[in-house]
């Protein structure tokens, strides 16, 4: 990597020399630039890489997103068990389109319900948590209906789910938005009849850097403590700096250096992503 | 050169002397113990391992070639006949949904290299029932004793991790060396699964038997998890045998009865069995038809004495129970 970077800035230097007016006035008929610019030895400049626009693949498939429930946890289970489970997950995904979404996106889920009128139940809410691995993966949607906070935990691969729509695709500063239970109600209200916000698949998912105002303490959990690592709360309005410092007593700064807790999933992710994309395209 | 372990054994010798003290004599025996790769060079060790693996793969792949070996006489199923079971490995658990939308949990058991090893007729065994010795999950031969290796060699089968006996009726005997597959069981059938439960070590009475213990406060001196009283008072004036006390918990054979089979994968030999099963992940278990009388599987007519690939080779890759939701079907609409 370092070697080609070196060659790149050398060829940039020689290009700059060409642009200087003294040399531009002379006509270049030969490609032997080494004679005309004697200080710079002629360096082989590789041709620019061609940009490949793959029109055979859909734009959706080109998006390199692997749903987090595909990544197996670090356990002593036989990897073969995850292979079989993944096959079932792919079979279900071919029937039901499970879109890409994150914690903080607004979803609408239609589910078959024996107790509802018309047997169909539609719920719109903000996704506060994505949990579980494999076929038992879940996500929790939160909304405030008639001044009552409602959270429903859905299983992604349950056959009762008819449709999952992403009304607004965005990310937040955290993966887990459970603190919305203790935040002001305006942050958890989602209009059930809202129109889907258009999102083009070629762009990156926008991160909503909003910081949420909280109700007065006591909260359901001590969100200021470092183990929750919450970035999306306005602590300056909720707590004094002394309390924030006091919360830092529960910090465990050695955890980031603990090698036994490391779990590098980069290679696994690539392999599983290619496997899943191949299987879905069949 | 080889390390000779000199073993000393104390053998008490009682001699009719007038001397009241015991006379103990010490007999020395010489024991030669060595493991297979102690005296081999490194490439020889590798060669041994590879050649063993190849031979066992060849042995496992097709046994009972109908041209070469004649299988034993096949009998029909009669009321009251018992067939063999299987030896499988516990992979893990997963959720499963029915067509009515109910969610159940399922344990996945994979049948890895299950072979019949021996047949003991009822005279040889106990005088009442014939027995088939079945083994599962191949393992390296280098840590098995010579007697065990002889048994495996007679069946023409690689050495197995677990070897169990299944009591079998006389019309269900199978020739030693026959492979057994997961399609031996069919979805909708009920099975019993036996395995060694996870060992918890020496545990107190609260964890072992669910005793309530004592309160944490209100003046309790050093008594929070103790068993308390050990029985009635002066009348028996003893502690009864079998009194529940602290001791080793787990690591014993436990059977789970009446587990329904939801799905059978014939390609990878995986059984999806309802609920949980004793044992840790990747442990070897014993599966057989239920003994519960209300869950007997006569209606399903499972293969008797076992599933042979030569005869019923054209099963689907996945066999599902009638009530099970298959993931390739469209989503449920409950009406």
């Amino acid at each position: 990597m370092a070697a080609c970077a070196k060659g790149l800035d050398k060829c940039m230097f020689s290009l700059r020399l060409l642009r200087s007016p003294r040399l531009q006035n002379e006509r270049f008929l030969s490609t032997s630039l080494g004679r005309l610019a004697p200080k710079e030895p002629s360096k082989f400049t590789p041709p620019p890489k061609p940009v490949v626009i793959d029109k055979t693949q859909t734009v959706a498939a080109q998006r390199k997103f692997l749903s987090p429930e595909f990544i197996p946890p670090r356990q002593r289970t036989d990897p073969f068990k995850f292979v079989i489970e993944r096959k079932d997950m792919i079979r279900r995904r071919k029937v039901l389109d499970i879109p890409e979404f994150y914690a903080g996106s607004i979803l609408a889920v239609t589910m078959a319900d024996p107790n509802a009128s018309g047997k169909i139940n539609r719920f719109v809410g903000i996704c506060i948590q994505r949990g579980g691995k494999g076929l038992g993966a879940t996500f929790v949607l939160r909304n405030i209906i008639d001044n009552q906070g409602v959270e429903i935990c859905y299983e992604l691969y349950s056959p009762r789910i008819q449709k999952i729509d992403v009304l607004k695709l965005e990310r937040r500063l955290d993966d887990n938005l459970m603190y919305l239970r203790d935040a002001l109600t305006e942050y958890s209200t989602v209009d059930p009849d809202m129109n889907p916000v258009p999102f083009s698949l070629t762009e990156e998912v926008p991160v909503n850097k909003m910081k949420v105002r909280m109700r007065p303490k006591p909260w359901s959990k001590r969100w200021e403590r470092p183990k929750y690592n919450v970035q999306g709360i306005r602590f300056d309005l909720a707590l004094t700096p002394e309390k924030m410092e006091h919360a830092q007593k529960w910090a465990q700064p050695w955890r980031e250096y603990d090698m036994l807790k490391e779990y590098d999933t980069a290679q696994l992710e690539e392999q599983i992503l290619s496997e899943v994309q191949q299987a879905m395209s069949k | 050169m080889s390390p000779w372990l000199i073993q000393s054994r104390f053998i008490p010798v009682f001699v009719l002397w007038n001397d009241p003290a015991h006379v103990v004599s010490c007999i020395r025996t010489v024991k030669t113990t060595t493991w297979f790769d102690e005296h081999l060079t490194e490439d020889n060790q590798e060669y041994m391992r590879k050649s063993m693996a190849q031979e066992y793969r060849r042995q496992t792949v097709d046994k009972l070639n109908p041209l070469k070996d004649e299988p034993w006489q096949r009998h029909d199923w009669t009321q009251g006949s018992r067939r063999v079971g299987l030896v499988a490995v516990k992979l893990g658990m997963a959720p499963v949904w029915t067509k009515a939308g109910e969610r159940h949990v399922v344990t996945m058991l994979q049948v890895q290299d299950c072979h019949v090893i021996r047949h003991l007729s009822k005279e040889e065994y106990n005088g009442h029932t014939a027995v088939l010795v079945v083994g599962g999950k191949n393992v390296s031969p280098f840590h098995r004793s010579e007697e065990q290796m002889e048994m495996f060699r007679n069946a023409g089968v690689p050495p197995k991790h677990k070897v169990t006996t299944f009591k079998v009726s006389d019309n269900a005997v199978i020739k030693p060396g026959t492979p057994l597959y997961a399609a031996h069981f069919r979805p909708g059938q009920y099975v019993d699964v036996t395995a060694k439960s996870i060992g918890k070590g020496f545990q107190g009475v609260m964890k072992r038997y669910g005793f309530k213990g004592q309160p944490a406060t209100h003046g309790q001196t050093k008594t929070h998890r103790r068993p308390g009283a050990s029985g009635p008072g002066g009348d028996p004036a003893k502690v009864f045998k079998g009194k529940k006390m602290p001791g080793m918990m787990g690591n014993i054979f436990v059977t789970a009865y009446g587990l329904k089979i939801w799905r059978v994968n014939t390609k990878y030999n995986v059984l999806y069995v309802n609920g949980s099963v004793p044992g840790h992940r990747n442990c070897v278990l014993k599966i057989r038809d239920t003994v519960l009388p209300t869950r007997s599987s006569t209606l399903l007519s499972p293969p008797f004495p076992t599933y042979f690939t030569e005869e019923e080779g054209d099963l689907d890759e996945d066999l599902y129970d009638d009530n099970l939701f298959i993931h390739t079907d469209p989503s449920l609409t409950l009406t």
Side-chain angles (χ1 to χ4, degrees):
Chain A
M1 280 297 279
C4 45
K6 236 187 348 181
L8 195 63
D9 58 39
K10 275 205 179 141
C11 81
M12 290 303 288
F13 191 71
S14 54
L15 280 174
R16 244 178 264 137
L17 273 177
L18 285 173
R19 278 196 222 110
S20 66
R22 178 176 61 85
L23 294 169
Q24 266 175 5
N25 291 330
E26 311 182 18
R27 273 185 244 150
F28 302 111
L29 294 171
S30 65
T31 50
S32 55
L33 298 162
R35 273 196 287 118
L36 299 159
K39 288 179 194 171
E40 278 297 307
S42 63
K43 196 83 180 169
F44 167 67
T45 52
K49 268 198 175 163
V51 175
V52 176
I53 303 172
D54 193 358
K55 286 189 183 147
T56 50
Q57 269 189 339
T58 57
V59 189
Q62 277 178 333
R63 236 192 125 72
K64 295 223 159 203
F65 170 71
L66 183 66
S67 215
E69 72 267 5
F70 279 104
I71 303 163
R74 190 175 68 151
Q75 279 177 344
R76 294 175 81 166
T77 339
D78 202 352
F80 175 64
K81 185 243 179 187
F82 299 121
V83 166
I84 319 180
E85 237 187 336
R86 234 175 285 143
K87 287 204 174 128
D88 273 331
M89 285 155 79
I90 290 171
R91 274 182 207 137
R92 176 71 185 149
R93 271 178 183 254
K94 287 191 179 163
V95 175
L96 172 73
D97 170 44
I98 297 176
E100 170 187 357
F101 66 96
Y102 304 87
S105 325
I106 298 179
L107 305 190
V109 172
T110 18
M111 194 163 93
D113 190 356
N115 306 318
S117 57
K119 305 295 172 189
I120 283 261
N121 191 344
R122 183 174 189 258
F123 186 75
V124 177
I126 181 171
C127 173
I128 54 176
Q129 178 183 269
R130 277 192 86 157
K133 299 283 177 197
L135 278 170
T138 55
F139 63 101
V140 181
L141 291 186
R142 178 181 169 81
N143 201 349
I144 308 227
I145 296 174
D146 290 340
N147 281 336
Q148 172 65 50
V150 175
E151 285 183 14
I152 304 187
C153 178
Y154 291 100
E155 287 187 309
L156 273 174
Y157 296 95
S158 167
R160 286 167 60 185
I161 293 187
Q162 320 265 321
K163 211 164 175 242
I164 302 181
D165 292 313
V166 175
L167 300 176
K168 187 173 186 198
L169 178 63
E170 66 173 5
R171 296 172 94 149
R172 291 284 198 102
L173 291 168
D174 307 299
D175 283 330
N176 200 312
L177 303 174
M178 286 292 180
Y179 55 81
L180 289 179
R181 292 170 179 168
D182 298 316
L184 300 175
T185 45
E186 64 200 36
Y187 296 102
S188 313
T189 14
V190 173
D191 178 23
D193 307 311
M194 79 180 260
N195 295 323
V197 167
F199 175 74
S200 85
L201 293 160
T202 43
E203 291 169 7
E204 265 209 40
V205 179
V207 180
N208 187 348
K209 298 208 197 257
M210 117 155 98
K211 293 212 176 203
V212 134
R213 286 170 193 240
M214 301 292 275
R215 276 198 233 127
K217 271 210 163 192
W219 296 333
S220 59
K221 292 255 180 315
R222 294 173 217 255
W223 301 112
E224 72 275 9
R225 294 228 173 140
K227 82 167 192 190
Y228 296 108
N229 195 19
V230 169
Q231 307 293 322
I233 294 183
R234 286 218 51 191
F235 286 116
D236 48 340
L237 297 175
L239 299 172
T240 57
E242 291 84 32
K243 292 217 166 151
M244 289 302 291
E245 259 198 60
H246 180 65
Q248 291 304 314
K249 276 177 99 177
W250 281 268
Q252 295 176 325
W254 56 86
R255 271 187 85 118
E256 70 172 297
Y257 304 107
D258 194 343
M259 290 169 78
L260 284 182
K261 290 196 171 32
E262 281 173 6
Y263 184 38
D264 186 22
T265 50
Q267 267 194 353
L268 252 181
E269 270 192 48
E270 273 173 29
Q271 177 209 338
I272 295 174
L273 178 65
S274 59
E275 192 188 311
V276 167
Q277 277 182 341
Q278 261 185 12
M280 290 296 289
S281 57
K282 277 188 201 160
Chain B
M1 280 226 296
S2 49
W4 283 23
L5 181 72
I6 299 180
Q7 236 188 9
S8 310
R9 276 181 178 184
F10 283 95
I11 296 175
V13 173
F14 294 93
V15 180
L16 282 174
W17 287 353
N18 293 327
D19 194 338
H22 297 305
V23 174
V24 166
S25 63
C26 190
I27 296 180
R28 285 165 153 215
T29 52
V30 164
K31 211 170 156 186
T32 53
T33 39
T34 176
W35 52 98
F36 92 98
D37 52 0
E38 194 189 357
H39 302 295
L40 296 178
T41 56
E42 289 211 5
D43 30 335
N44 277 353
Q45 287 171 22
E46 238 192 83
Y47 172 73
M48 280 299 289
R49 288 203 168 92
K50 275 190 193 155
S51 70
M52 281 287 146
Q54 267 174 13
E55 199 189 315
Y56 295 144
R57 240 172 282 144
R58 185 184 55 80
Q59 275 179 343
T60 324
V61 161
D62 44 24
K63 255 290 145 174
L64 268 206
N65 190 346
L67 299 171
K68 275 199 292 178
D69 330 317
E70 298 125 15
W72 286 356
Q73 175 72 42
R74 303 259 307 264
H75 305 273
D76 288 322
W77 179 87
T78 53
Q79 179 72 351
S81 42
R82 282 197 286 192
R83 44 177 208 148
V84 209
L86 302 177
V87 175
V89 167
K90 175 175 172 179
L91 291 180
M93 297 182 75
V96 118
W97 288 270
T98 57
K99 288 194 169 134
E102 290 157 3
R103 181 189 192 263
H104 298 281
V105 228
V106 133
T107 319
M108 288 134 78
L109 308 176
Q110 185 181 31
V111 179
Q112 293 179 358
D113 315 314
C114 191
H115 283 96
V116 176
I117 297 177
R118 262 169 91 183
H119 160 65
L120 297 172
S121 63
K122 68 180 178 187
E123 291 81 29
E124 288 166 7
Y125 186 61
N126 65 353
H128 298 286
T129 18
V131 134
L132 279 179
V133 178
V134 171
K137 194 176 172 197
N138 289 352
V139 100
S140 86
F142 305 118
H143 302 279
R144 298 284 134 165
S145 62
E146 197 44 54
E147 296 85 20
Q148 290 173 332
M149 286 306 296
E150 202 191 308
M151 174 175 77
F152 293 121
R153 232 175 281 130
N154 289 341
V157 133
K160 305 289 182 188
H161 184 131
K162 184 173 173 79
V163 168
T164 40
T165 53
F166 289 98
K167 289 205 187 78
V168 137
S169 53
D170 289 319
N171 54 352
V173 286
I174 307 172
K175 180 168 180 176
T178 338
L180 300 171
Y181 301 104
H184 177 83
F185 293 114
R186 293 296 155 93
Q189 218 184 327
Y190 290 85
V191 285
D192 294 339
V193 176
T194 313
K196 264 211 161 163
S197 57
I198 299 179
K200 315 267 180 194
F202 194 100
Q203 287 300 337
V205 113
M206 275 178 83
K207 192 179 183 77
R208 206 172 176 216
Y209 295 115
F211 282 18
K212 283 190 77 179
Q214 289 82 26
T217 56
H218 291 299
Q220 308 289 322
T221 34
K222 309 197 303 186
T223 317
H224 305 289
R225 299 183 68 93
R226 300 182 74 185
S230 57
D235 189 6
K238 67 173 189 177
V239 176
F240 294 122
K241 276 199 194 298
K243 172 84 191 65
K244 292 179 179 173
M245 285 186 168
M248 287 292 182
M249 180 179 168
N251 201 25
I252 50 170
F253 283 107
V254 172
T255 311
Y257 294 96
L259 302 177
K260 181 169 174 181
I261 293 193
W262 284 106
R263 178 177 164 185
V264 175
N265 186 321
T266 41
K267 186 175 167 196
Y268 297 109
N269 279 328
V270 180
L271 292 168
Y272 289 66
V273 147
N274 191 35
S276 60
V277 133
H280 53 86
R281 271 175 305 211
N282 304 323
C283 78
V284 193
L285 341 127
K286 181 175 163 178
I287 315 176
R288 57 146 207 252
D289 295 323
T290 331
V291 294
L292 301 178
T294 47
R295 303 258 192 270
S296 60
S297 52
T298 44
L299 302 163
L300 291 157
S301 58
F304 188 87
T306 186
Y307 165 77
F308 293 104
T309 27
E310 300 96 42
E311 285 154 40
E312 307 168 61
D314 53 347
L315 280 182
D316 302 327
E317 187 189 328
D318 270 304
L319 300 167
Y320 298 95
D321 183 52
D322 298 323
N323 290 335
L324 193 62
F325 170 77
I326 307 173
H327 291 291
T328 43
D329 289 345
S331 306
L332 292 178
T333 42
L334 307 168
T335 41

